[in-house]
Amino acid sequence: QVQVVESGGGLVQPGGSLRLSCVVSGSIYRNGAMAWYRQAPGKERDLVATITAAGRPNYEDSVKGRFTISRDNAKNTVYLQMNSLNPEDTAVYYCNPSRLTDFYVRSQYWGQGTQVTVSS
């Protein structure tokens, strides 16, 4: 059984930073490529960043230069360091594991998400 648990969200002022964490357990998914998504109220869930099993990242244009995705394979954990946050980053952030290692393919496994609110 695959479990996905996100944490690290909260309320932050514009220009601030947060680091999100996601722990994945269960079979091959914990060793696969990973992705962070976000979903703002009334909007679709959008891809933010991906990382391969070897650590190669890829970012959606609006977060390039501000967000950094990384992983610690020994801890089955993927991180999202978010800097220079602005109100448009407000959303519930989700992590999604892939069974593949060299590139990311969306799977059916989701956690409960973690709320990020950027407001003064």
Side-chain angles (χ1 to χ4, degrees):
Q1 184 176 356
V2 179
Q3 289 188 317
V4 180
V5 180
E6 303 98 337
S7 63
L11 173 63
V12 63
Q13 292 186 343
S17 298
L18 281 175
R19 189 176 83 152
L20 308 183
S21 299
C22 172
V23 179
V24 178
S25 60
S27 67
I28 60 176
Y29 284 88
R30 66 179 185 267
N31 297 320
M34 303 283 286
W36 282 99
Y37 286 75
R38 64 185 178 186
Q39 187 168 18
K43 295 189 176 181
E44 295 185 352
R45 192 170 297 186
D46 293 328
L47 183 64
V48 174
T50 64
I51 188 166
T52 66
R56 185 173 65 249
N58 195 32
Y59 300 96
E60 187 268 331
D61 286 346
S62 70
V63 306
K64 283 181 180 177
R66 300 189 300 123
F67 291 10
T68 302
I69 189 171
S70 62
R71 65 189 297 158
D72 184 335
N73 290 336
K75 296 181 179 180
N76 301 327
T77 301
V78 63
Y79 304 98
L80 187 68
Q81 176 67 43
M82 306 185 296
N83 299 328
S84 301
L85 285 162
N86 58 64
E88 290 69 37
D89 297 314
T90 295
V92 179
Y93 283 71
Y94 297 91
C95 170
N96 184 258
S98 173
R99 66 192 305 269
L100 303 178
T101 58
D102 293 338
F103 57 92
Y104 168 74
V105 175
R106 182 168 169 164
S107 73
Q108 65 193 73
Y109 300 106
W110 298 94
Q112 80 289 348
T114 186
Q115 175 71 49
V116 172
T117 303
V118 184
S119 175
S120 55

mmCIF file of all heavy atoms in Angstrom, residues 20-58:
data_model
loop_
_atom_site.group_PDB
_atom_site.id
_atom_site.type_symbol
_atom_site.label_atom_id
_atom_site.label_comp_id
_atom_site.label_asym_id
_atom_site.label_seq_id
_atom_site.Cartn_x
_atom_site.Cartn_y
_atom_site.Cartn_z
ATOM 1 N N LEU A 20 8.342 22.632 2.277
ATOM 2 C CA LEU A 20 7.396 21.536 2.367
ATOM 3 C C LEU A 20 8.143 20.202 2.316
ATOM 4 O O LEU A 20 9.182 20.084 1.668
ATOM 5 C CB LEU A 20 6.393 21.595 1.222
ATOM 6 C CG LEU A 20 5.661 22.923 1.017
ATOM 7 C CD1 LEU A 20 4.656 22.779 -0.119
ATOM 8 C CD2 LEU A 20 4.990 23.383 2.287
ATOM 9 N N SER A 21 7.567 19.212 2.989
ATOM 10 C CA SER A 21 8.126 17.862 2.978
ATOM 11 C C SER A 21 7.047 16.870 2.573
ATOM 12 O O SER A 21 5.864 17.073 2.846
ATOM 13 C CB SER A 21 8.655 17.477 4.362
ATOM 14 O OG SER A 21 9.686 18.334 4.777
ATOM 15 N N CYS A 22 7.477 15.790 1.947
ATOM 16 C CA CYS A 22 6.558 14.726 1.556
ATOM 17 C C CYS A 22 7.251 13.390 1.765
ATOM 18 O O CYS A 22 8.326 13.151 1.196
ATOM 19 C CB CYS A 22 6.155 14.878 0.102
ATOM 20 S SG CYS A 22 5.206 13.489 -0.552
ATOM 21 N N VAL A 23 6.646 12.553 2.575
ATOM 22 C CA VAL A 23 7.170 11.212 2.818
ATOM 23 C C VAL A 23 6.292 10.206 2.093
ATOM 24 O O VAL A 23 5.061 10.223 2.235
ATOM 25 C CB VAL A 23 7.209 10.893 4.322
ATOM 26 C CG1 VAL A 23 7.743 9.485 4.545
ATOM 27 C CG2 VAL A 23 8.063 11.910 5.065
ATOM 28 N N VAL A 24 6.923 9.344 1.315
ATOM 29 C CA VAL A 24 6.212 8.311 0.565
ATOM 30 C C VAL A 24 6.649 6.943 1.051
ATOM 31 O O VAL A 24 7.845 6.668 1.164
ATOM 32 C CB VAL A 24 6.480 8.427 -0.943
ATOM 33 C CG1 VAL A 24 5.764 7.305 -1.704
ATOM 34 C CG2 VAL A 24 6.043 9.780 -1.456
ATOM 35 N N SER A 25 5.703 6.093 1.350
ATOM 36 C CA SER A 25 6.020 4.726 1.752
ATOM 37 C C SER A 25 5.291 3.764 0.831
ATOM 38 O O SER A 25 4.237 4.082 0.282
ATOM 39 C CB SER A 25 5.601 4.491 3.204
ATOM 40 O OG SER A 25 4.207 4.685 3.353
ATOM 41 N N GLY A 26 5.888 2.581 0.681
ATOM 42 C CA GLY A 26 5.206 1.572 -0.113
ATOM 43 C C GLY A 26 5.873 1.254 -1.421
ATOM 44 O O GLY A 26 5.897 2.075 -2.333
ATOM 45 N N SER A 27 6.436 0.100 -1.505
ATOM 46 C CA SER A 27 6.962 -0.535 -2.714
ATOM 47 C C SER A 27 7.834 0.388 -3.564
ATOM 48 O O SER A 27 8.587 1.208 -3.075
ATOM 49 C CB SER A 27 5.814 -1.127 -3.523
ATOM 50 O OG SER A 27 4.983 -0.123 -4.048
ATOM 51 N N ILE A 28 7.685 0.285 -4.886
ATOM 52 C CA ILE A 28 8.587 0.983 -5.789
ATOM 53 C C ILE A 28 8.310 2.476 -5.877
ATOM 54 O O ILE A 28 9.150 3.234 -6.342
ATOM 55 C CB ILE A 28 8.515 0.361 -7.188
ATOM 56 C CG1 ILE A 28 7.096 0.461 -7.752
ATOM 57 C CG2 ILE A 28 8.996 -1.075 -7.162
ATOM 58 C CD1 ILE A 28 6.993 -0.047 -9.175
ATOM 59 N N TYR A 29 7.159 2.917 -5.430
ATOM 60 C CA TYR A 29 6.832 4.325 -5.566
ATOM 61 C C TYR A 29 7.748 5.210 -4.740
ATOM 62 O O TYR A 29 8.028 6.345 -5.118
ATOM 63 C CB TYR A 29 5.376 4.568 -5.191
ATOM 64 C CG TYR A 29 4.422 4.125 -6.262
ATOM 65 C CD1 TYR A 29 3.954 2.820 -6.304
ATOM 66 C CD2 TYR A 29 4.017 4.999 -7.259
ATOM 67 C CE1 TYR A 29 3.098 2.398 -7.304
ATOM 68 C CE2 TYR A 29 3.161 4.594 -8.261
ATOM 69 C CZ TYR A 29 2.707 3.291 -8.279
ATOM 70 O OH TYR A 29 1.866 2.877 -9.260
ATOM 71 N N ARG A 30 8.225 4.714 -3.611
ATOM 72 C CA ARG A 30 9.058 5.580 -2.778
ATOM 73 C C ARG A 30 10.420 5.826 -3.420
ATOM 74 O O ARG A 30 11.125 6.750 -3.041
ATOM 75 C CB ARG A 30 9.245 4.969 -1.395
ATOM 76 C CG ARG A 30 10.044 3.679 -1.359
ATOM 77 C CD ARG A 30 10.195 3.184 0.076
ATOM 78 N NE ARG A 30 11.041 2.011 0.184
ATOM 79 C CZ ARG A 30 10.598 0.781 0.163
ATOM 80 N NH1 ARG A 30 9.305 0.555 0.025
ATOM 81 N NH2 ARG A 30 11.432 -0.231 0.287
ATOM 82 N N ASN A 31 10.792 5.022 -4.418
ATOM 83 C CA ASN A 31 12.088 5.198 -5.085
ATOM 84 C C ASN A 31 11.966 5.837 -6.464
ATOM 85 O O ASN A 31 12.960 5.982 -7.170
ATOM 86 C CB ASN A 31 12.768 3.837 -5.248
ATOM 87 C CG ASN A 31 13.070 3.206 -3.910
ATOM 88 O OD1 ASN A 31 13.483 3.886 -2.981
ATOM 89 N ND2 ASN A 31 12.850 1.909 -3.803
ATOM 90 N N GLY A 32 10.756 6.184 -6.841
ATOM 91 C CA GLY A 32 10.537 6.706 -8.177
ATOM 92 C C GLY A 32 10.668 8.215 -8.274
ATOM 93 O O GLY A 32 10.982 8.896 -7.305
ATOM 94 N N ALA A 33 10.435 8.719 -9.481
ATOM 95 C CA ALA A 33 10.366 10.164 -9.673
ATOM 96 C C ALA A 33 9.198 10.714 -8.852
ATOM 97 O O ALA A 33 8.257 9.984 -8.511
ATOM 98 C CB ALA A 33 10.182 10.487 -11.145
ATOM 99 N N MET A 34 9.268 12.013 -8.533
ATOM 100 C CA MET A 34 8.260 12.621 -7.679
ATOM 101 C C MET A 34 7.857 13.966 -8.237
ATOM 102 O O MET A 34 8.608 14.581 -9.011
ATOM 103 C CB MET A 34 8.813 12.816 -6.273
ATOM 104 C CG MET A 34 9.307 11.545 -5.610
ATOM 105 S SD MET A 34 7.969 10.545 -5.010
ATOM 106 C CE MET A 34 7.506 11.503 -3.592
ATOM 107 N N ALA A 35 6.703 14.447 -7.784
ATOM 108 C CA ALA A 35 6.236 15.749 -8.242
ATOM 109 C C ALA A 35 5.493 16.471 -7.131
ATOM 110 O O ALA A 35 4.906 15.835 -6.239
ATOM 111 C CB ALA A 35 5.308 15.596 -9.442
ATOM 112 N N TRP A 36 5.543 17.786 -7.200
ATOM 113 C CA TRP A 36 4.695 18.646 -6.374
ATOM 114 C C TRP A 36 3.668 19.320 -7.288
ATOM 115 O O TRP A 36 4.017 19.801 -8.373
ATOM 116 C CB TRP A 36 5.503 19.717 -5.658
ATOM 117 C CG TRP A 36 6.243 19.233 -4.466
ATOM 118 C CD1 TRP A 36 7.564 18.895 -4.401
ATOM 119 C CD2 TRP A 36 5.714 19.052 -3.145
ATOM 120 N NE1 TRP A 36 7.881 18.506 -3.118
ATOM 121 C CE2 TRP A 36 6.767 18.595 -2.330
ATOM 122 C CE3 TRP A 36 4.455 19.229 -2.568
ATOM 123 C CZ2 TRP A 36 6.602 18.309 -0.965
ATOM 124 C CZ3 TRP A 36 4.286 18.946 -1.227
ATOM 125 C CH2 TRP A 36 5.356 18.494 -0.433
ATOM 126 N N TYR A 37 2.432 19.349 -6.793
ATOM 127 C CA TYR A 37 1.338 20.044 -7.450
ATOM 128 C C TYR A 37 0.762 21.067 -6.471
ATOM 129 O O TYR A 37 1.008 20.993 -5.269
ATOM 130 C CB TYR A 37 0.199 19.075 -7.809
ATOM 131 C CG TYR A 37 0.462 18.159 -8.956
ATOM 132 C CD1 TYR A 37 1.307 17.061 -8.831
ATOM 133 C CD2 TYR A 37 -0.168 18.350 -10.179
ATOM 134 C CE1 TYR A 37 1.525 16.200 -9.894
ATOM 135 C CE2 TYR A 37 0.038 17.496 -11.253
ATOM 136 C CZ TYR A 37 0.875 16.415 -11.094
ATOM 137 O OH TYR A 37 1.087 15.562 -12.147
ATOM 138 N N ARG A 38 -0.051 21.959 -6.983
ATOM 139 C CA ARG A 38 -0.803 22.856 -6.112
ATOM 140 C C ARG A 38 -2.181 23.115 -6.715
ATOM 141 O O ARG A 38 -2.361 23.080 -7.938
ATOM 142 C CB ARG A 38 -0.065 24.168 -5.884
ATOM 143 C CG ARG A 38 0.146 25.028 -7.113
ATOM 144 C CD ARG A 38 1.017 26.237 -6.741
ATOM 145 N NE ARG A 38 1.301 27.091 -7.896
ATOM 146 C CZ ARG A 38 2.122 28.136 -7.850
ATOM 147 N NH1 ARG A 38 2.737 28.454 -6.703
ATOM 148 N NH2 ARG A 38 2.321 28.858 -8.931
ATOM 149 N N GLN A 39 -3.110 23.391 -5.793
ATOM 150 C CA GLN A 39 -4.485 23.647 -6.212
ATOM 151 C C GLN A 39 -5.037 24.825 -5.418
ATOM 152 O O GLN A 39 -5.197 24.729 -4.199
ATOM 153 C CB GLN A 39 -5.356 22.413 -6.006
ATOM 154 C CG GLN A 39 -6.751 22.553 -6.569
ATOM 155 C CD GLN A 39 -7.485 21.226 -6.608
ATOM 156 O OE1 GLN A 39 -7.125 20.261 -5.935
ATOM 157 N NE2 GLN A 39 -8.517 21.149 -7.439
ATOM 158 N N ALA A 40 -5.290 25.913 -6.116
ATOM 159 C CA ALA A 40 -5.899 27.088 -5.506
ATOM 160 C C ALA A 40 -7.419 26.932 -5.520
ATOM 161 O O ALA A 40 -7.962 26.161 -6.313
ATOM 162 C CB ALA A 40 -5.485 28.336 -6.261
ATOM 163 N N PRO A 41 -8.118 27.651 -4.644
ATOM 164 C CA PRO A 41 -9.583 27.527 -4.585
ATOM 165 C C PRO A 41 -10.225 27.801 -5.941
ATOM 166 O O PRO A 41 -9.920 28.800 -6.599
ATOM 167 C CB PRO A 41 -9.969 28.587 -3.562
ATOM 168 C CG PRO A 41 -8.772 28.731 -2.694
ATOM 169 C CD PRO A 41 -7.590 28.547 -3.605
ATOM 170 N N GLY A 42 -11.090 26.885 -6.360
ATOM 171 C CA GLY A 42 -11.810 27.054 -7.607
ATOM 172 C C GLY A 42 -11.003 26.792 -8.858
ATOM 173 O O GLY A 42 -11.483 27.023 -9.971
ATOM 174 N N LYS A 43 -9.771 26.297 -8.705
ATOM 175 C CA LYS A 43 -8.910 26.053 -9.864
ATOM 176 C C LYS A 43 -8.494 24.587 -9.915
ATOM 177 O O LYS A 43 -8.673 23.831 -8.975
ATOM 178 C CB LYS A 43 -7.682 26.957 -9.801
ATOM 179 C CG LYS A 43 -8.011 28.437 -9.908
ATOM 180 C CD LYS A 43 -6.761 29.267 -10.050
ATOM 181 C CE LYS A 43 -7.106 30.745 -10.249
ATOM 182 N NZ LYS A 43 -5.866 31.570 -10.413
ATOM 183 N N GLU A 44 -7.927 24.211 -11.054
ATOM 184 C CA GLU A 44 -7.458 22.847 -11.216
ATOM 185 C C GLU A 44 -6.135 22.642 -10.474
ATOM 186 O O GLU A 44 -5.442 23.598 -10.124
ATOM 187 C CB GLU A 44 -7.269 22.539 -12.702
ATOM 188 C CG GLU A 44 -8.560 22.551 -13.501
ATOM 189 C CD GLU A 44 -8.357 22.127 -14.932
ATOM 190 O OE1 GLU A 44 -7.191 21.969 -15.345
ATOM 191 O OE2 GLU A 44 -9.360 21.956 -15.650
ATOM 192 N N ARG A 45 -5.813 21.386 -10.283
ATOM 193 C CA ARG A 45 -4.549 21.028 -9.663
ATOM 194 C C ARG A 45 -3.454 21.115 -10.728
ATOM 195 O O ARG A 45 -3.509 20.416 -11.746
ATOM 196 C CB ARG A 45 -4.621 19.623 -9.077
ATOM 197 C CG ARG A 45 -3.488 19.240 -8.182
ATOM 198 C CD ARG A 45 -3.754 17.931 -7.465
ATOM 199 N NE ARG A 45 -4.908 18.026 -6.577
ATOM 200 C CZ ARG A 45 -5.289 17.059 -5.751
ATOM 201 N NH1 ARG A 45 -4.599 15.936 -5.684
ATOM 202 N NH2 ARG A 45 -6.360 17.209 -4.992
ATOM 203 N N ASP A 46 -2.454 21.958 -10.465
ATOM 204 C CA ASP A 46 -1.411 22.226 -11.448
ATOM 205 C C ASP A 46 -0.064 21.689 -10.994
ATOM 206 O O ASP A 46 0.291 21.766 -9.814
ATOM 207 C CB ASP A 46 -1.276 23.736 -11.684
ATOM 208 C CG ASP A 46 -2.502 24.321 -12.364
ATOM 209 O OD1 ASP A 46 -3.136 23.614 -13.171
ATOM 210 O OD2 ASP A 46 -2.815 25.497 -12.084
ATOM 211 N N LEU A 47 0.694 21.218 -11.963
ATOM 212 C CA LEU A 47 2.043 20.738 -11.688
ATOM 213 C C LEU A 47 2.964 21.913 -11.388
ATOM 214 O O LEU A 47 2.943 22.930 -12.094
ATOM 215 C CB LEU A 47 2.558 19.963 -12.888
ATOM 216 C CG LEU A 47 3.923 19.318 -12.777
ATOM 217 C CD1 LEU A 47 3.940 18.249 -11.699
ATOM 218 C CD2 LEU A 47 4.343 18.721 -14.123
ATOM 219 N N VAL A 48 3.781 21.759 -10.353
ATOM 220 C CA VAL A 48 4.715 22.804 -9.946
ATOM 221 C C VAL A 48 6.152 22.421 -10.265
ATOM 222 O O VAL A 48 6.909 23.208 -10.833
ATOM 223 C CB VAL A 48 4.576 23.092 -8.434
ATOM 224 C CG1 VAL A 48 5.648 24.068 -7.961
ATOM 225 C CG2 VAL A 48 3.188 23.614 -8.113
ATOM 226 N N ALA A 49 6.544 21.222 -9.860
ATOM 227 C CA ALA A 49 7.928 20.780 -10.052
ATOM 228 C C ALA A 49 7.989 19.263 -10.017
ATOM 229 O O ALA A 49 7.155 18.618 -9.380
ATOM 230 C CB ALA A 49 8.829 21.364 -8.966
ATOM 231 N N THR A 50 8.994 18.721 -10.699
ATOM 232 C CA THR A 50 9.244 17.282 -10.672
ATOM 233 C C THR A 50 10.706 17.024 -10.394
ATOM 234 O O THR A 50 11.567 17.899 -10.601
ATOM 235 C CB THR A 50 8.867 16.604 -12.001
ATOM 236 O OG1 THR A 50 9.719 17.103 -13.039
ATOM 237 C CG2 THR A 50 7.416 16.856 -12.373
ATOM 238 N N ILE A 51 10.998 15.809 -9.953
ATOM 239 C CA ILE A 51 12.384 15.411 -9.736
ATOM 240 C C ILE A 51 12.505 13.926 -10.022
ATOM 241 O O ILE A 51 11.647 13.139 -9.612
ATOM 242 C CB ILE A 51 12.837 15.766 -8.300
ATOM 243 C CG1 ILE A 51 14.334 15.525 -8.136
ATOM 244 C CG2 ILE A 51 12.022 15.015 -7.251
ATOM 245 C CD1 ILE A 51 14.909 16.153 -6.870
ATOM 246 N N THR A 52 13.548 13.544 -10.752
ATOM 247 C CA THR A 52 13.760 12.137 -11.034
ATOM 248 C C THR A 52 14.390 11.445 -9.826
ATOM 249 O O THR A 52 14.793 12.092 -8.857
ATOM 250 C CB THR A 52 14.683 11.952 -12.248
ATOM 251 O OG1 THR A 52 15.992 12.439 -11.902
ATOM 252 C CG2 THR A 52 14.162 12.702 -13.460
ATOM 253 N N ALA A 53 14.490 10.134 -9.907
ATOM 254 C CA ALA A 53 15.111 9.382 -8.815
ATOM 255 C C ALA A 53 16.572 9.790 -8.631
ATOM 256 O O ALA A 53 17.095 9.761 -7.518
ATOM 257 C CB ALA A 53 15.010 7.892 -9.104
ATOM 258 N N ALA A 54 17.215 10.193 -9.702
ATOM 259 C CA ALA A 54 18.618 10.615 -9.637
ATOM 260 C C ALA A 54 18.778 12.068 -9.206
ATOM 261 O O ALA A 54 19.899 12.538 -9.034
ATOM 262 C CB ALA A 54 19.278 10.416 -11.001
ATOM 263 N N GLY A 55 17.659 12.779 -9.054
ATOM 264 C CA GLY A 55 17.731 14.139 -8.555
ATOM 265 C C GLY A 55 17.668 15.234 -9.598
ATOM 266 O O GLY A 55 17.946 16.393 -9.296
ATOM 267 N N ARG A 56 17.284 14.911 -10.824
ATOM 268 C CA ARG A 56 17.190 15.929 -11.867
ATOM 269 C C ARG A 56 15.850 16.659 -11.762
ATOM 270 O O ARG A 56 14.796 16.062 -11.899
ATOM 271 C CB ARG A 56 17.345 15.301 -13.242
ATOM 272 C CG ARG A 56 17.388 16.299 -14.380
ATOM 273 C CD ARG A 56 17.706 15.631 -15.698
ATOM 274 N NE ARG A 56 16.652 14.714 -16.110
ATOM 275 C CZ ARG A 56 16.783 13.389 -16.137
ATOM 276 N NH1 ARG A 56 17.912 12.822 -15.747
ATOM 277 N NH2 ARG A 56 15.782 12.626 -16.531
ATOM 278 N N PRO A 57 15.880 17.987 -11.537
ATOM 279 C CA PRO A 57 14.638 18.727 -11.331
ATOM 280 C C PRO A 57 14.083 19.349 -12.612
ATOM 281 O O PRO A 57 14.800 19.540 -13.592
ATOM 282 C CB PRO A 57 15.080 19.821 -10.364
ATOM 283 C CG PRO A 57 16.483 20.136 -10.802
ATOM 284 C CD PRO A 57 17.056 18.826 -11.282
ATOM 285 N N ASN A 58 12.797 19.682 -12.530
ATOM 286 C CA ASN A 58 12.164 20.442 -13.604
ATOM 287 C C ASN A 58 11.078 21.300 -12.963
ATOM 288 O O ASN A 58 10.418 20.847 -12.012
ATOM 289 C CB ASN A 58 11.562 19.521 -14.658
ATOM 290 C CG ASN A 58 11.228 20.246 -15.934
ATOM 291 O OD1 ASN A 58 11.901 21.206 -16.295
ATOM 292 N ND2 ASN A 58 10.199 19.806 -16.630
#
